[in-house]
């Protein structure tokens, strides 16, 4: 698809998102460049929420009346659609959680506390989001296991030279598919087979990959995969954990109560089958159904188109931002559209990124500034904070141009260059 057609398609997609039709308080067009934090929601996802609450709101699994059966069907149907989206072997391998963070914690509690002991190792990387670091630190403390790190180089690329040594004694490799700070895509095709050969399981934090590229959990051969609905056009408060059936079956539940049981007596309880064994209490029915609407929407666009569009937009943005080098622009990360998702971290001269973000905000351009929940990475690299722009299906070259104009204004205000 030629660049103009692709950009025109993105503009058509933007028309599906009510918020992108609004203006900021200062009357500016909203240029939303913070989709790595959370994506905007298309009308069909908002409609799915309204439809559920307006027409068939009821608790699931337990009742025989019509609207409850409809709600149960829609909820379990949502699971099946998300399973298909990720190419899981069966819906039972998809557990609904609140978000990526909860999915990772589920594995840490249910699998980690049962299977790890002193002398074992957990291997992660130096560029993880706190959500895929803190649970492993705590697990290591509790079990006596050692936490190890795959290093990243100055560009933010994984260094695999010592992978075999790092895998020796490792029982779990937990890494992000794509970095939320630098965009770096992990070389799973090298890491997953090596981990399995060493007898380790692999958990992939897919918070930044599931929204932005085709993901096939079976082709990747990962054991666990975590993702959040809100970053992929779905609502907040709903996420998934994919796990291979045998692993989920062997794991004990970690939340206890209603819905996750098979039988209960005063003395003892037997647990439900997967995935319900991990879904204690009333589920987030509305958001699961709307998450499936989001997945349908993304499938309608085609995930390969999403990846191609973002790659092209990144190429355009990298060369545009490079024009600001004489004004003190520093871009972090690999700067190779084939090796990153939709994220660019940068700094403009010595202007604090929060000031950059505030000036951009006055122009209607929404970006993020800070440590992006990757404090250890920032410290290792020696960056106190960065500004971060991230793109999605509804962004066009016009949005990159708006970013550029706002950055030039910032440079002028601070007399850079
Ligand atoms: N991992 C990565 C790579 C992320 O980007 C994020 C969200 N910024 C998370 C985990 C956590 O996602 P959530 O807050 O939806 O649980």
């Amino acid at each position: 698809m030629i660049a103009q057609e692709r950009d025109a398609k993105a503009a058509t997609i933007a028309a599906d998102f009510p918020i992108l039709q609004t203006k900021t308080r200062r009357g500016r067009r909203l240029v939303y460049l913070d989709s790595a934090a959370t994506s905007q929601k298309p009308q069909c996802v908002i409609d799915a929420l309204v439809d559920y609450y307006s027409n068939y709101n009821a608790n699931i699994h337990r009742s025989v009346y019509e609207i409850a059966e409809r709600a149960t069907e829609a909820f379990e149907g949502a699971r099946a659609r998300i399973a298909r989206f990720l190419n899981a072997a069966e819906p039972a391998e998809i557990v609904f959680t609140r978000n990526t963070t909860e999915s990772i914690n589920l594995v840490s509690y249910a699998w980690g506390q049962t299977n790890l002991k002193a002398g074992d190792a957990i291997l992660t990387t130096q560029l993880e989001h706190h959500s895929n670091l803190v649970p492993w630190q705590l697990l290591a403390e509790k079990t006596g296991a050692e936490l190890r790190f795959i290093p990243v180089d100055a560009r933010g690329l994984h260094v695999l030279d010592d992978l075999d040594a790092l895998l020796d004694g490792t029982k779990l490799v937990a890494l992000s598919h794509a970095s939320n700070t630098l965009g770096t895509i992990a070389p799973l095709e090298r890491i997953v087979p090596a981990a399995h050969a060493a007898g380790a399981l692999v958990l992939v934090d897919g918070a930044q990959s599931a929204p932005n590229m085709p993901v096939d959990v079976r082709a990747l051969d990962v054991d666990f995969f975590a993702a959040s609905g809100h970053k992929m056009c779905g609502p907040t408060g709903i996420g998934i954990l994919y796990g291979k059936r045998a692993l989920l079956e062997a794991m004990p539940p970690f939340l206890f109560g209603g819905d996750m049981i098979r039988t209960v007596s005063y003395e003892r309880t037997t647990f439900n089958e997967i995935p319900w064994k991990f879904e204690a209490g009333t589920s987030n029915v509305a958001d699961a159904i709307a998450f499936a609407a989001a997945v349908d929407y993304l499938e309608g666009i085609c995930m390969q188109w999403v990846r191609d569009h973002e790659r092209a937009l990144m190429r355009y943005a990298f060369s545009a931002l490079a024009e600001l080098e004489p004004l003190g622009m520093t871009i972090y990360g690999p700067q190779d559209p084939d090796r990153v998702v939709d994220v660019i971290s940068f700094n403009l001269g010595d202007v604090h990124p929060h000031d950059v973000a505030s000036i951009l905000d006055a122009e209607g351009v929404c970006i993020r500034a800070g440590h992006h929940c990757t404090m250890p990475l920032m410290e290792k690299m020696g960056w106190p904070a960065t500004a971060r722009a991230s793109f999605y299906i509804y962004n066009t070259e016009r949005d990159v141009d708006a970013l550029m104009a706002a950055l030039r204004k910032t440079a002028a205000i601070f007399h850079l260059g």
Side-chain angles (χ1 to χ4, degrees):
M1 195 181 270
I2 59 167
Q4 271 169 333
E5 274 177 34
R6 190 187 38 70
D7 226 44
K9 179 165 172 174
T12 317
I13 290 170
D16 294 337
F17 292 72
I19 204 168
L20 299 178
Q21 318 314 315
T22 61
K23 292 240 184 314
T24 67
R25 282 197 196 132
R26 291 184 174 89
R28 304 285 173 156
R29 180 172 80 87
L30 185 69
V31 179
Y32 187 73
L33 301 181
D34 197 20
S35 295
T38 198
S39 72
Q40 294 303 345
K41 322 301 172 199
Q43 188 63 51
C44 61
V45 168
I46 300 166
D47 288 346
L49 286 171
V50 172
D51 182 38
Y52 169 72
Y53 283 123
S54 308
N55 295 313
Y56 60 103
N57 170 52
N59 211 333
I60 51 168
H61 294 150
R62 286 183 277 265
S63 309
V64 292
Y65 52 88
E66 184 184 307
I67 57 169
E69 281 184 348
R70 223 179 124 191
T72 302
E73 265 168 38
F75 180 77
E76 292 303 333
R79 192 192 308 278
R81 277 142 74 197
I82 293 161
R84 192 188 59 204
F85 182 75
L86 297 173
N87 199 30
E90 48 174 326
E93 292 181 328
I94 300 294
V95 178
F96 280 121
T97 60
R98 280 190 305 145
N99 46 38
T100 302
T101 305
E102 186 173 293
S103 301
I104 295 170
N105 274 272
L106 196 165
V107 176
S108 161
Y109 277 90
W111 182 87
Q113 295 200 12
T114 321
N115 288 286
L116 285 187
K117 55 180 187 329
D120 293 337
I122 307 161
L123 178 60
T124 183
T125 83
Q126 286 182 333
L127 49 62
E128 298 307 313
H129 188 282
H130 298 159
S131 292
N132 195 34
L133 172 60
V134 181
W136 309 123
Q137 286 177 342
L138 272 290
L139 181 64
E141 251 173 50
K142 256 186 212 145
T143 59
E146 180 194 348
L147 186 57
R148 297 177 183 162
F149 297 89
I150 295 175
V152 293
D153 65 17
R155 287 196 300 160
L157 291 168
H158 301 76
V159 179
L160 300 183
D161 299 351
D162 296 328
L163 185 61
D164 289 343
L166 286 167
L167 282 170
D168 189 22
T170 293
K171 292 287 183 301
L172 177 75
V173 181
L175 80 169
S176 55
H177 201 172
S179 155
N180 63 307
T181 300
L182 300 176
T184 315
I185 298 171
L188 291 184
E189 66 291 348
R190 281 195 61 196
I191 295 173
V192 177
H196 285 159
L201 298 180
V202 180
L203 174 143
V204 168
D205 166 352
Q208 296 295 342
S209 63
N212 298 310
M213 59 171 83
V215 169
D216 179 333
V217 288
R218 274 189 285 173
L220 293 170
D221 195 23
V222 294
D223 300 290
F224 299 107
F225 186 90
S228 297
H230 71 93
K231 292 189 198 276
M232 42 200 297
C233 294
T236 49
I238 190 80
I240 57 96
L241 172 71
Y242 158 81
K244 288 180 180 166
R245 172 178 270 278
L247 291 169
L248 291 180
E249 277 179 342
M251 278 157 55
F254 94 110
L255 289 173
F256 302 90
D259 234 27
M260 53 74 67
I261 53 90
R262 186 193 303 277
T263 61
V264 181
S265 69
Y266 284 120
E267 291 75 30
R268 63 183 300 273
T269 296
T270 59
F271 301 127
N272 207 336
E273 292 166 16
I274 65 162
W276 305 291
K277 163 172 104 168
F278 297 109
E279 295 177 358
T282 297
S283 290
N284 185 351
V285 184
D287 292 321
I289 293 168
F291 185 5
V295 153
D296 288 348
Y297 180 76
L298 288 173
E299 273 181 341
I301 290 171
C302 170
M303 287 310 292
Q304 191 54 52
W305 184 89
V306 176
R307 175 74 186 125
D308 293 344
H309 172 62
E310 289 180 8
R311 203 164 15 198
L313 213 50
M314 288 295 279
R315 187 165 291 118
Y316 184 79
F318 280 135
S319 61
L321 289 177
E323 285 171 24
L324 301 184
E325 270 163 20
L327 302 179
M329 168 63 60
T330 307
I331 304 174
Y332 306 104
Q335 288 188 56
D336 175 350
D338 292 333
R339 299 183 89 162
V340 295
V341 285
D342 60 307
V343 173
I344 302 187
S345 267
F346 62 90
N347 269 319
L348 189 60
D350 56 4
V351 184
H352 195 281
H354 281 131
D355 293 335
V356 175
S358 295
I359 295 170
L360 265 55
D361 174 49
E363 301 298 310
V365 179
C366 312
I367 63 157
R368 183 150 283 234
H371 54 62
H372 317 296
C373 296
T374 53
M375 283 170 79
L377 174 70
M378 306 294 281
E379 201 179 320
K380 170 195 151 67
M381 297 294 201
W383 312 325
T386 72
R388 183 189 74 181
S390 53
F391 306 99
Y392 206 28
I393 45 179
Y394 33 67
N395 291 121
T396 60
E397 290 179 5
R398 186 179 168 215
D399 294 336
V400 178
D401 296 343
L403 169 69
M404 286 294 290
L407 286 172
R408 284 190 195 282
K409 198 162 189 174
T410 311
I413 290 169
F414 284 90
H415 308 293
L416 300 178

